[in-house]
Amino acid sequence: MNGLRSSQVAHAAGVNRQTLRYYERRGLLAEPRRSLGGHRLYPAEAITVLRVIKAAQRLGFTLDEVADLLDAGRHHHDRRPDTGLQARAKTKLAEVEAKIADLRAIADSLRAAVDAGCDDMVTCAGQSGCPIPFATIAAAEARGDTNAHDR
């Protein structure tokens, strides 16, 4: 009986065997057939599927999103246009670009704090020229304004 054992697939894909089994339980990876001795035997394409899953995660997709994408790929002939990789990649790109903008704003604030010589958060927050308005952010977040750090 030919096929690859769990350890071979896991090693080739750069994951551990627990990850392999977890992906099976989640339905990301098809359950393999068994040898007469009960060993899991995977087709060679399982390595590609695992590598695709890991690459998608590195691109920011959650395992639920990866599962949806894999499912859409398996049923590409009857899927809705908004469920494929193209649509999902556009949505993910917008999310990533928003995070980058947030990170740039944070970096600018931290750079300003370093340049201003701020060494104590409480003292700095009490000064009118504080580049990071700690007190304003804390008060806004207490009110439930989650975008207070963007100001």
Side-chain angles (χ1 to χ4, degrees):
M1 216 179 236
N2 52 344
L4 301 169
R5 293 179 99 173
S6 298
S7 58
Q8 293 171 307
V9 172
H11 178 74
V15 300
N16 60 47
R17 286 190 293 184
Q18 290 77 20
T19 299
L20 190 64
R21 299 233 173 93
Y22 178 69
Y23 289 170
E24 279 179 42
R25 287 192 303 273
R26 293 277 314 254
L28 297 166
L29 191 63
E31 189 173 324
R33 68 182 200 284
R34 301 272 182 160
S35 70
L36 294 176
H39 297 286
R40 287 175 163 84
L41 295 175
Y42 295 88
E45 71 189 29
I47 296 168
T48 301
V49 172
L50 287 167
R51 288 177 179 164
V52 166
I53 292 168
K54 298 311 284 180
Q57 285 183 297
R58 282 191 298 277
L59 291 173
F61 290 100
T62 66
L63 281 180
D64 286 339
E65 291 169 328
V66 172
D68 289 345
L69 285 167
L70 289 172
D71 190 51
R74 290 183 196 115
H75 302 89
H76 64 277
H77 54 278
D78 60 350
R79 74 169 184 233
R80 294 187 339 252
D82 63 339
T83 60
L85 179 59
Q86 187 68 218
R88 297 289 181 97
K90 286 178 183 178
T91 300
K92 188 58 67 178
L93 178 59
E95 290 172 15
V96 168
E97 287 174 341
K99 286 179 187 178
I100 289 170
D102 285 346
L103 289 172
R104 283 192 178 122
I106 291 168
D108 290 346
S109 293
L110 291 171
R111 196 173 294 107
V114 169
D115 291 346
C118 297
D119 202 32
D120 181 283
M121 289 191 302
V122 176
T123 302
C124 185
Q127 297 175 356
S128 61
C130 178
I132 304 177
F134 293 107
T136 305
I137 292 170
E141 287 183 354
R143 290 190 312 267
D145 183 359
T146 58
N147 293 322
H149 67 282
D150 293 338
R151 295 189 182 121

